[in-house]
Amino acid sequence: MSELSESANQAARPPATPIYILRGHAAPIHALHLFNQNLRLISADADGWIVVWDLVMKRPMVAWKAHEGAVLEVKGFTSAARAETDVYTHGRDHKLRVWRIRRQDEEVLQKTLPVDIGEGPGSRANTASQPWLVHSLPVNALNFCAFSLLFLRESACAGNSRGANATEESADATPQDADADAPRSPALIAVPNALNSGAIDLFHLPLERRVCTIPAETTTDTGMVMAAHLFTGPPGDLYVASAYEDGQVMLFARRGLVTEEDILQGTTASWKWEKLYACRPHSQPVLSIDVFPQGNYFLSSSADALLVKHPIPRLGHGGHPSTNRPEDAVLKTVNTKHAGQQGIRIRSDGKVFATAGWDSRIRVYSCKTMKELAVLKWHKEGCYAIAFAGVPTVAKSNDEPTDDSSAGEVGSDSHDSHQQVTTRGDKAYTLAAVQHQRNQKVQTTHWLAAGSKDGKISLWDIY
């Protein structure tokens, strides 16, 4: 009887609704990224437009046309010390570009949104008001495979023979750590090879040169690379998780730290890759992967209805052979009954992950059990991109989300608590104090941003 009453209560609760809708793109949203301690959201669309949003005011800070084709991926990183932001964009025009936005230039840069720019001859965007283009690399974009970015904290091209300690930009890094060293730091970028669509190239910035290539599989025809993800292991070993058109998922590793000689020479001997893992859990092309190194696993989603959790085997050290077995089974496979889930993203605390569905639904899952926790429905057309805000990992161990209804409850509870902070705060309600409270509210919100084919971005606060 209690079970019936509990299910009735859940059915009576209203469904979760987005906190805010950002309207400004005139084309489908292809990529999203939250940065600058969750104060900024950057979005990219199918027409090549990039918009940097202020999440406090919910207004555009900068908007410009970065590519002549659709944008596959976009990442933003802000350095408070240098008062500037670096934006990495990867377009279907076969260009990977790095843009720099200085704080003093924000007032003069274009803020007119793509949806407000007409199609007449005199309505073209003013290129003079675009951010400074720092780098432009010719890369392959035929695969629909977006770049993966890995920052090197210490310069690997300025005499550091001991090696470069790497930190990845993905969701498992805290925003403060990633933002502090990202701009001006050397970086490795993984993209599909231009000649062999099954191989992966690694480029170095700021040198703008290819340092190595992970060759394509020779025993089987995997088809094109559909997704790649660069990350590092605890000893500093370099890993690349990759997914392919035929449904295969693989993991490659390179032993040791990245050194200056490795970058400058780029020989086959210095970039020896070992395949640690390979399996074919999907029957359709893989659409997206995301890695959570602290949990020793990564996830994949495909055009089929499967979500798969894969292990991360580690390289053997001290002369001992590797303990990898390419035939290792997957950790867990879930048939969601919903085909076409892409843009998979793991939140930085490793508790939940989300997917963007072709059926216009955003689905949130538990990382531990892979159980569906919430289905967020607002968009009328298919969703393509997901982005999580950085969340501190020092949360209670017993606050694991349990059911769909808590999505709406968490959103309302968090806003109530924020409202109390606003009303019962310091007695001196100066403009600076109010602005600080607004910033703090945005920074502590558990944002989930979703981009759709309708050109709109929905902002949710869940779990």
Side-chain angles (χ1 to χ4, degrees), residues 300-355:
S300 65
S301 68
S302 168
D304 59 24
L306 299 182
L307 294 176
V308 183
K309 180 186 286 190
H310 308 268
I312 302 179
R314 298 300 181 181
L315 282 168
H317 287 273
H320 299 289
S322 301
T323 57
N324 62 291
R325 297 189 302 274
E327 68 277 5
D328 275 348
V330 300
L331 296 177
K332 193 175 184 65
T333 301
V334 175
N335 188 347
T336 65
K337 306 290 196 304
H338 306 289
Q341 297 188 63
Q342 67 180 63
I344 191 168
R345 289 292 182 269
I346 303 172
R347 199 169 66 180
S348 58
D349 61 356
K351 290 184 178 294
V352 296
F353 70 94
T355 60

Side-chain angles (χ1 to χ4, degrees), residues 136-455:
S136 184
L137 282 173
V139 296
N140 181 19
L142 291 175
N143 296 33
F144 296 93
C145 174
F147 75 90
S148 179
L149 182 66
L150 184 75
F151 286 115
L152 306 175
R153 285 192 183 276
E154 300 177 12
S155 178
C157 50
N160 180 21
S161 58
R162 294 182 294 105
N165 295 323
T167 178
E168 71 175 315
E169 53 75 30
S170 60
D172 62 294
T174 61
Q176 293 84 353
D177 293 341
D179 292 346
D181 293 329
R184 304 289 176 88
S185 298
L188 291 177
I189 294 177
V191 292
N193 182 267
L195 299 178
N196 188 337
S197 59
I200 301 173
D201 285 339
L202 262 63
F203 286 86
H204 183 275
L205 286 177
L207 295 182
E208 297 190 9
R209 61 177 293 177
R210 184 175 61 188
V211 295
C212 76
T213 299
I214 302 176
E217 183 69 25
T218 56
T219 57
T220 58
D221 182 15
T222 61
M224 297 187 299
V225 178
M226 300 298 292
H229 193 107
L230 270 169
F231 65 101
T232 55
D237 299 330
L238 191 62
Y239 291 81
V240 177
S242 56
Y244 299 88
E245 189 179 10
D246 71 337
Q248 284 206 70
V249 178
M250 298 184 186
L251 182 69
F252 299 90
R254 175 200 177 271
R255 196 180 302 271
L257 296 171
V258 178
T259 65
E260 176 191 6
E261 290 76 16
D262 297 334
I263 298 298
L264 298 179
Q265 295 176 7
T267 61
T268 306
S270 62
W271 290 91
K272 184 179 180 181
W273 294 91
E274 301 180 36
K275 185 167 70 173
L276 302 183
Y277 173 80
C279 69
R280 189 174 178 270
H282 299 285
S283 59
Q284 297 291 326
V286 180
L287 298 176
S288 60
I289 59 175
D290 200 17
V291 178
F292 190 62
Q294 296 94 320
N296 286 328
Y297 68 85
F298 64 102
L299 304 173
S300 65
S301 68
S302 168
D304 59 24
L306 299 182
L307 294 176
V308 183
K309 180 186 286 190
H310 308 268
I312 302 179
R314 298 300 181 181
L315 282 168
H317 287 273
H320 299 289
S322 301
T323 57
N324 62 291
R325 297 189 302 274
E327 68 277 5
D328 275 348
V330 300
L331 296 177
K332 193 175 184 65
T333 301
V334 175
N335 188 347
T336 65
K337 306 290 196 304
H338 306 289
Q341 297 188 63
Q342 67 180 63
I344 191 168
R345 289 292 182 269
I346 303 172
R347 199 169 66 180
S348 58
D349 61 356
K351 290 184 178 294
V352 296
F353 70 94
T355 60
W358 293 349
D359 60 356
S360 76
R361 269 76 164 173
I362 302 107
R363 291 180 170 84
V364 183
Y365 299 87
S366 165
C367 287
K368 184 177 180 180
T369 64
M370 297 189 69
K371 175 187 174 183
E372 185 180 278
L373 301 175
V375 180
L376 309 178
K377 184 180 184 304
W378 182 86
H379 297 278
K380 303 300 182 184
E381 299 185 68
C383 296
Y384 297 149
I386 287 286
F388 273 116
V391 175
T393 56
V394 289
K396 296 179 181 179
S397 58
N398 60 352
D399 62 351
E400 187 78 20
T402 55
D403 57 53
D404 297 16
S405 60
S406 61
E409 292 178 351
V410 171
S412 59
D413 291 345
S414 62
H415 281 280
D416 290 340
S417 62
H418 289 314
Q419 189 64 31
Q420 292 172 6
V421 171
T422 304
T423 55
R424 299 186 305 181
D426 298 332
K427 295 180 180 179
Y429 285 96
T430 63
L431 184 61
V434 172
Q435 183 64 34
H436 176 72
Q437 288 179 348
R438 288 177 176 176
N439 289 355
Q440 195 173 39
K441 177 181 178 180
V442 169
Q443 287 176 309
T444 55
T445 300
H446 291 189
W447 294 111
L448 187 157
S452 171
K453 185 180 179 181
D454 57 17

